[in-house]
Structure formats: C-alpha cells, structure tokens
Amino acid sequence: MSQLVSTARASVVVAGEALASEFQPVYNPARTDEVVGEVAVGTAEHVEQAVAAASAAFRAWSSMPVQERAAFLLAAADELAGHVEDLATLLTREQGKVRWESVIDVGGAAKILRYYTGLADRLAADEVFRQDERGTIYVGRRPVGVTGIIVPWNSPVYLAFLGLAPALLAGNTVVVKPSEYAPLALGRILEVLAAHLPPGVVNTVPGGAEAGSALVAHPRVRKVFFTGSTATGQQVMRAAAGNLKNLSLELGGNDPAIVLASARIDERLVDELVRAVFTLSGQICFDVKRIYVHESHYADFVEQYVAAVDRIVVGDGLDPRTTIGPVNNRPQFERIQGLLDRTRTAGATVHTVGTKLDPVGWDRGLFLLPSVVTDVEPGAEIVGCEQFGPVVPVLPYQTDEQAIALANDTEFGLSASIWSEDREHALALARRLECGSVFLNVHRLGASDMSMPFGGFKGSGIGRGHGMYSLDACTELQAVADYVDVSGFPGPGPR
Ligand code: NAD
C-alpha cells in the first residue's frame, strides 16, 4: 500500500488541481521545534475559485441517482480504510492527541461515509405525503447547493466527515476549510476523496479566518456546516445573513457532570469521570468541564478523583505509555495557563498531579499536567468558561434543585451527565437539563451514537447532526402538490 505521508503538505485543491499559495509551517505540539509539514494560507481569491468549481459541478452531481453517488462514496471509503495507520501517525504529530485517538479520528472518514451510504434509500424517492379526493401531495428532499464545511483542530477528520458524508450523499458539492492548526491528515484524506469523485465535487481551502469568513460570506454558498467556538459561530451567523444561508452550528460546551447522592463512588465511576474530563487533554466539545458532587460524597469523591487523575501520564502521543498528549496550539496553551493562574490568585485550590513522561523534553512541548480545582465558587471563571484543557473544577451541592440550577446556569447547552444507581431518579433529572444530550453514568467518546441527534441548546449551537438529522440539515424539503380538485378555493377567475 502506498504511504500518504511522504510529503505532508495541505494545499488549496480546486477540482483536483493544487493552486499556488503561500504556505506556513505546521509544528508538532509535542516538540514545538519540529516542523511536521506545511499548510496553504487560503485567501478570499482561493475561496472564489473553489466555490466556482463547486457550483459548476453541482448540476451533474445533484441530478445523479443517490445510489450512484453512494457507490462513489463507498469506493472512496474502501481506499481511505487502508490508510488509517499511516495517517493516524501524521495526525498525532500535527495535533498532539494519543495514537488510539488519532486512529478513531482518521478511521472516521471511511466509517462515516459507509454509515451514510446505508441511509441512501431514505433519499431515493419522494414520499406520497397525502393522497385523497383532492389529489396527491409528494414530499422529497432536495440538496441545498454549494456547502461550506468549516472544521476545528480537535477532531479534524471526524468532524469534517460528519458534514461531508451527508452533504455529498444528498447531492451537494462542497468546499472544506480545515483548521490551520491540524490540516495535514485531513488534507490528504480530502485529496483521496476528491480523486474518487467528479472534479469540483470536493474542494479544499485550508487557512484561517480570511478563508473561513470569505466562504461564509460567499453569495453562491447556500449552506454552512460550522464546527468551532461559540464566539466564531456568532461571527459566522452574522456573515451568513447576506444571502440567508442555511446554517448548522456545532459550537462550544461547558458540560456539567452531576454525581447524585444515590451514586456509588467506586473505581468505575471515578475512572469514567477521569475519561469524561481528560480524554484528548480536555479538548473535546463534550468533555465534562465541571463536576458537581452531592455533599454527602464530596470529600470521598475528591480524594479518590485526585488519586485517579494522578495516574495520568502526559507526553508525546506517539509513545504508548502516554495517556494524554499536549495541548494542540500555543494560544490555547497560554489561555489555560492564564486561567489557572487567575484561579489560584482568586484563592481556589489547584491540585496539579500526574506524571511527566519525559521531564527533560517537557518544555519542548505544549504539555500541561492535569489539574483538579476545589474550594471554588460556582460563579468563578473556571466554572463558567469553556476551558478546553486538562483542568476541571469539582464543587459540592446540597439538593437536586440546586444541582439542576447550577448545571443550567450557563450560556452553553451541549451535553451533561448524571451519575446515580437510581435510574428513574436520574432520568427524571435528565429531562430538566437544558442541553442537547444527557448521558447516564458515562460521558465520553462513543457515548453519542451516530444515529442519535447531536447538537446544542443556547450558545452551543443551532440544528442537530448525526444520522437522519444531518440529512435533514443538508437538504431542503420540497412539497409537490398534484391536485385534481381545488374547487373549494374559487379565486378571481373569469367566471
Ligand atoms: P474556532 O472557532 O477558533 O475555529 C473553528 C474554525 O473556524 C477553524 O477552521 C477556523 O480557522 C475557522 N474560523 C476562524 N475565524 C473564522 C471566521 N471569522 N469565519 C469563519 N471561519 C472562521 O474553534 P477551534 O479553536 O478551532 O476549536 C475549538 C472549539 O470548537 C471549541 O469551542 C469546541 O467546543 C468547539 N467544538 C464544537 C464541537 C461540536 O460538535 N459542538 C465539536 C468540536 C469542537
């Protein structure tokens, strides 16, 4: 099998051709003096060319029977499935995540393409929506048009394909904008995908805010799938108003975990809550960002939890002994350090624990040991913000009412979890939480099934993804009314 990582370069690729551009280096966050590859600095002019190519390809791609489109996507999936191992190594080198996480992320390309092709029948024919003496009403799904897909750096491949697979299956053509902080593995995968499809169906413009904002503002882009922070999501929404784009916004979170009085504080619960917070160094939109523990368990929980977090080993994600890798980029690294400094200055206790895998090479990487924060007020910055790093506040509460009020007291509303031995009690409280997903006794990668709706209340987003919800999001419903009798509605005819 050919290796896809010989030269790691994410270019602007339009209708299968790499365009000329400036490039900037992509550094390894585990060794910031090591250049992993280079990424094109996409411009508004590149976006113009990519949108023109996607527009030109739209008519043929959208009018093809859905099973033919599915066959193209399956062929791409088969090739991509053979490249998971080499591209996972590249992803760890550019993103920092541990290798098994990269395997899941990169493996998502083939897995998600295959999953959506399994839904092709749902798009194949219009439904007879109503049939009676007046006639027949059909309802069908039509593609929206040229679709912009903008992705963050934390799970670049998986998140791109959660938009790409349904968009392409439904007959849209796309322009993808990877993040400048993790563009290399995704860029390679998009090249493979594009090569399996007619020219112009998939185009890539890597870069930062210039390319992203040009894509969102472009009048021939009809749909944007944006995954990123709430602050950028607000800018996207404003820019998309120009031609009233159809928007899907998957934004930030500040997920609470509520440990009820009816929970058992044992090894399973404690270990699951370590995974819930620290997977991918806390850089997952639905990682737990704050833990509320009933006062009857609080002291016991904190003791067991800090001890379990202390077993985390921080190092290069390619080393199998590492349990969490570095933070992905320097702005994020400095942001978390500043947050921790202010938290300490405000009087909270910060338990910084864990092991440095390579103490000598520590300062070469963007490494942070995990921290658990106690003696902190519910209104503190560390509790209210999306920290997006390996740090979590743990707070006591007294009553269910108080726990629900604290959990909902946020502008975010992505996910939450409830931890209890009493399933009925947990379910009753789950229904009072203002967020898109609630998990019981779990909260981690894999907990959100591909078929269940995923998305946020409030500042965590607009719309729902996964399964049929994504197909709904990248199609417009069209009603076709074939009436034989409208005599009940006379109107101003000649007689
Ligand atoms: P970000 O908002 O900084 O960037 C996201 C993407 O938007 C990047 O590709 C970036 O280049 C691009 N961009 C920047 N400015 C833009 C503009 N003005 N117009 C259009 N695009 C622009 O987010 P990030 O730091 O890359 O990712 C972390 C954030 O993503 C966190 O808030 C996290 O919670 C969120 N996220 C959400 C989900 C979800 O499904 N809800 C999943 C993963 C990450």
Side-chain angles (χ1 to χ4, degrees):
M1 186 205 327
S2 66
Q3 292 280 303
L4 285 180
V5 293
S6 48
T7 52
R9 182 176 232 224
S11 300
V12 176
V13 182
V14 172
E17 299 292 325
L19 303 189
S21 70
E22 280 183 30
F23 284 86
Q24 67 185 33
V26 177
Y27 296 99
N28 181 345
R31 307 146 196 270
T32 51
D33 49 359
E34 179 186 299
V35 174
V36 183
E38 53 181 8
V39 56
V41 182
T43 62
E45 175 55 29
H46 292 128
V47 168
E48 192 62 47
Q49 291 171 270
V51 173
S55 300
F58 179 70
R59 181 179 296 232
W61 181 248
S62 59
S63 44
M64 193 182 277
V66 63
Q67 295 294 1
E68 272 181 49
R69 289 196 296 268
F72 276 107
L73 299 180
L74 277 178
D78 287 346
E79 182 174 352
L80 289 170
H83 288 297
V84 172
E85 291 302 322
D86 48 333
L87 289 177
T89 300
L90 176 63
L91 182 59
T92 288
R93 290 181 64 224
E94 63 173 324
Q95 206 286 336
K97 57 176 69 182
V98 294
R99 206 170 173 291
W100 69 261
E101 291 166 344
S102 289
V103 168
I104 290 178
D105 198 336
V106 168
K111 179 179 158 192
I112 298 169
L113 285 171
R114 286 172 176 158
Y115 170 80
Y116 276 97
T117 58
L119 298 181
D121 284 347
R122 313 277 285 272
L123 293 171
D126 291 3
E127 281 173 35
V128 175
F129 177 77
R130 188 173 138 180
Q131 194 160 38
D132 58 21
E133 64 289 351
R134 291 187 65 209
T136 307
I137 298 172
Y138 303 90
V139 172
R141 289 191 172 79
R142 312 284 175 253
V144 182
V146 175
T147 297
I149 297 177
I150 300 179
V151 281
W153 44 259
N154 60 339
S155 296
V157 180
Y158 209 94
L159 294 171
F161 276 76
L162 284 178
L164 265 163
L168 293 171
L169 183 74
N172 303 286
T173 54
V174 302
V175 178
V176 184
K177 202 217 65 71
S179 164
E180 62 274 46
Y181 292 117
L184 301 174
L186 176 58
R188 284 295 168 146
I189 287 171
L190 292 173
E191 283 178 28
V192 172
L193 174 65
H196 278 272
L197 306 180
V201 171
V202 170
N203 308 279
T204 308
V205 183
E210 181 185 341
S213 53
L215 186 57
V216 173
H218 199 292
R220 285 161 81 186
V221 174
R222 302 289 351 169
K223 163 86 200 178
V224 171
F225 271 105
F226 174 81
T227 310
S229 64
T230 300
T232 311
Q234 289 168 326
Q235 293 178 38
V236 167
M237 196 163 175
R238 277 191 281 271
N243 66 339
L244 289 176
K245 283 184 180 61
N246 178 321
L247 279 185
S248 293
L249 301 177
E250 294 281 4
L251 307 179
N254 184 15
D255 289 9
I258 303 173
V259 180
L260 298 182
S262 50
R264 191 176 334 119
I265 310 301
D266 57 10
E267 199 177 294
R268 183 206 169 262
L269 178 144
V270 167
D271 287 355
E272 276 297 322
L273 271 164
V274 171
R275 293 187 185 98
V277 170
F278 294 99
T279 301
L280 189 42
S281 302
Q283 303 167 112
I284 297 182
C285 55
F286 72 107
D287 269 337
V288 166
K289 308 288 188 331
R290 51 200 168 116
I291 303 177
Y292 298 103
V293 183
H294 189 265
E295 59 180 354
S296 60
H297 292 311
Y298 186 75
D300 182 26
F301 177 82
V302 169
E303 189 185 336
Q304 290 194 45
Y305 194 65
V306 172
V309 174
D310 193 29
R311 290 196 281 275
I312 286 176
V313 179
V314 185
D316 186 333
L318 289 180
D319 191 310
R321 294 168 299 173
T322 293
T323 51
I324 68 172
V327 168
N328 168 261
N329 59 75
R330 192 163 294 281
Q332 183 59 7
F333 178 73
E334 288 172 358
R335 204 182 134 255
I336 299 163
Q337 282 185 319
L339 182 60
L340 281 170
D341 287 346
R342 291 191 296 280
T343 300
R344 281 191 200 93
T345 306
T349 305
V350 179
H351 309 258
T352 298
V353 292
T355 302
K356 299 176 178 178
L357 180 66
D358 173 15
V360 178
W362 186 254
D363 291 334
R364 280 177 76 194
L366 303 176
F367 296 115
L368 288 173
L369 285 171
S371 294
V372 178
V373 179
T374 56
D375 306 312
V376 61
E377 293 299 317
E381 182 187 13
I382 184 78
V383 181
C385 74
E386 183 190 37
Q387 64 272 49
F388 223 59
V391 43
V392 69
V394 184
L395 298 94
Y397 72 89
Q398 283 82 41
T399 64
D400 284 358
E401 290 308 311
Q402 198 188 10
I404 295 293
L406 288 167
N408 287 338
D409 184 19
T410 167
E411 270 311 301
F412 295 102
L414 193 58
S415 316
S417 51
I418 299 185
W419 304 73
S420 169
E421 295 288 299
D422 180 346
R423 178 161 260 105
E424 289 309 313
H425 185 195
L427 276 171
L429 294 185
R431 297 184 174 116
R432 297 177 58 194
L433 290 167
E434 297 164 358
C435 59
S437 309
V438 186
F439 308 106
L440 304 187
N441 296 318
V442 70
H443 196 141
R444 56 153 145 154
L445 283 180
S448 181
D449 187 82
M450 185 93 80
S451 65
M452 77 188 234
F454 184 81
F457 285 22
K458 304 191 278 188
S460 288
I462 293 182
R464 289 293 177 274
H466 292 191
M468 277 307 292
Y469 304 94
S470 288
L471 289 177
D472 286 343
C474 58
T475 50
E476 297 282 12
L477 280 184
Q478 182 182 60
V480 178
D482 177 16
Y483 291 130
V484 290
D485 177 12
V486 284
S487 56
F489 299 87
R495 35 192 126 256

